[in-house]
Amino acid sequence: MEKTSFLLSMMVAAAFAATASIAQADESASLEIEGETFVTKTKAPAHAENLDEIYSGWVFRADETQTLQTDDFDNPGFVFVDTAMDLYEEVDGTADKACSSCHENVEDFKGLRAAMPRVKDGKVQTMEEIINNCRTEHMGAKAWKWSGTQMSSMVAYIGLQSRGMPVKVAIDGDAKPIWEQGKKLYYSRFGQLDMACSNCHEDNYGNMIRADHLSQGQINGFPTYRLKNAKLNSIHGRFKGCMKNIRAEPFKEGSDEFKALQLYLASRGAGLTVETPSVRN
Ligand code: HEC
Ligand code: HEC
């Protein structure tokens, strides 16, 4: 290991240790939204072999952040759900259609988010790709940017239809090799800090890293409204941020690497409930 990266690793190690005793969040709190109780901790699925229990990222957030998610009027993510409700009815493209022209009831998408991403004909399919496929192939409209406001809002609106349902993605059959690729990436070290996702989210969840309380990096809450940037954040946008933080060159949003990682992470969260749109810091 070269000297700078060694020093940086030591800095990270010091950051973990120095503040490990500061308890910021109420880890025993239970999440209820509109009278419905969410599964924020449960037994880990067998294929997440190094974990006994899995926890939603909500568990590790400070009290005030947790509270914002318990009421849809306080949850700033719902501003974007409203945006998506308008977009859903808006005619766009050469076919003169809106989403609602073909999908009259958005409730019909109930269950879809809980099973995403899915693998079709040997390829991972994310919600972003399904939506853009409808825009370009069925509407004659332009594709939306992966992490743009329109896309994140629509992904949240469709995801909301599955809120409260347990995550359950298929990882067998032709999903298996992609899942294996995602797993490999999860445990691979990247960047100047030479760290893997697992070093933070598996080995150190529950500890503090500087001012941040580390979670297991679950994705059941995405898209997530972050107080830090005051917008909805996509799953791949978050992966990018974490890779930048370890001074690695991130993969691209929509890349095969991030899609494989997404499938693997979704499978590690099997049994947690969909919280879309969640609130994080
Ligand atoms: C002209 C009709 C048409 C329009 C308009 C349309 N879609 Fe679709 N949509 C389809 C068809 C057909 C499918 C089935 C798969 C396919 O062929 O792409 C589909 C599939 C989907 C699915 C996956 C459903 C499932 O359970 O697998 C979602 C989600 C979706 N569309 C969302 C949207 C959104 C959001 C919009 C607006 C941006 C939209 N669609 C516009 C025709 C349309
Ligand atoms: C140096 C430590 C570190 C590494 C390595 C790291 N992350 Fe993170 N990650 C964080 C911190 C800090 C947060 C914000 C607090 C939290 O939710 O854990 C975070 C948040 C997340 C979240 C959001 C969880 C939620 O509930 O909102 C996801 C998903 C995530 N990381 C995935 C990854 C992936 C995938 C990798 C590997 C490519 C990775 N992280 C590598 C530190 C790290």
Side-chain angles (χ1 to χ4, degrees):
M1 202 188 284
E2 60 174 277
K3 198 173 164 208
T4 47
S5 83
F6 176 72
L7 283 176
L8 286 165
S9 305
M10 291 309 288
M11 275 161 55
V12 172
F16 281 136
T19 44
S21 61
I22 301 173
Q24 203 186 32
D26 180 359
E27 290 182 29
S28 64
S30 105
L31 173 59
E32 271 184 44
I33 308 174
E34 322 255 297
E36 190 180 354
T37 306
F38 285 65
V39 179
T40 54
K41 50 193 103 154
T42 190
K43 199 172 162 324
H47 56 257
E49 61 247 2
N50 300 328
L51 297 173
D52 295 325
E53 285 213 273
I54 50 172
Y55 304 92
S56 160
W58 181 84
V59 169
F60 301 93
R61 305 292 34 106
D63 293 353
E64 315 84 72
T65 313
Q66 286 187 338
T67 306
L68 282 174
Q69 207 185 307
T70 61
D71 187 329
D72 291 349
F73 286 102
D74 295 335
N75 180 339
F78 276 83
V79 172
F80 298 91
V81 169
D82 286 343
T83 302
M85 288 170 85
D86 292 339
L87 285 172
Y88 198 82
E89 305 293 334
E90 202 175 284
V91 171
D92 194 7
T94 53
D96 258 339
K97 303 249 191 246
C99 309
S100 58
S101 317
C102 298
H103 309 287
E104 197 186 334
N105 295 313
V106 73
E107 294 91 358
D108 292 347
F109 295 134
K110 187 175 167 143
L112 183 62
R113 164 65 176 88
M116 294 301 287
R118 64 187 177 191
V119 174
K120 280 213 155 161
D121 306 322
K123 295 209 151 178
V124 194
Q125 199 181 39
T126 64
M127 196 73 89
E128 287 86 351
E129 290 167 311
I130 293 180
I131 293 170
N132 265 345
N133 183 65
C134 281
R135 288 187 55 79
T136 57
E137 304 306 309
H138 298 309
M139 297 171 70
K142 273 207 203 123
W144 281 331
K145 267 174 60 189
W146 196 279
S147 290
T149 303
Q150 291 154 312
M151 182 59 89
S152 304
S153 302
M154 190 60 78
V155 172
Y157 184 42
I158 293 174
L160 175 64
Q161 311 309 315
S162 305
R163 193 168 67 167
M165 296 177 74
V167 170
K168 192 176 189 305
V169 290
I171 59 171
D172 48 0
D174 57 354
K176 184 81 186 189
I178 299 167
W179 183 86
E180 296 286 359
Q181 186 199 352
K183 180 175 178 181
K184 197 167 161 224
L185 286 166
Y186 187 80
Y187 288 103
S188 298
R189 292 169 173 271
F190 294 107
Q192 267 185 56
L193 296 198
D194 196 34
M195 290 181 83
C197 312
S198 60
N199 291 143
C200 284
H201 293 299
E202 187 171 273
D203 303 341
N204 276 294
Y205 70 84
N207 288 335
M208 301 295 292
I209 178 164
R210 301 188 194 285
D212 229 337
H213 198 185
L214 266 175
S215 73
Q216 290 182 339
Q218 297 284 357
I219 56 173
N220 58 307
F222 281 81
T224 269
Y225 180 89
R226 290 189 67 190
L227 301 169
K228 185 183 162 185
N229 58 16
K231 63 169 188 137
L232 282 181
N233 293 261
S234 70
I235 293 171
H236 293 193
R238 185 44 134 154
F239 291 176
K240 243 171 85 177
C242 278
M243 286 192 78
K244 281 189 188 156
N245 285 344
I246 50 174
R247 309 196 185 183
E249 176 71 40
F251 299 110
K252 295 218 161 23
E253 292 176 347
S255 62
D256 288 343
E257 287 87 354
F258 274 170
K259 289 198 282 178
L261 202 46
Q262 180 179 350
L263 177 68
Y264 177 66
L265 279 190
S267 81
R268 282 171 73 93
L272 295 174
T273 36
V274 174
E275 290 175 26
T276 312
S278 64
V279 186
R280 304 284 188 259
N281 54 328

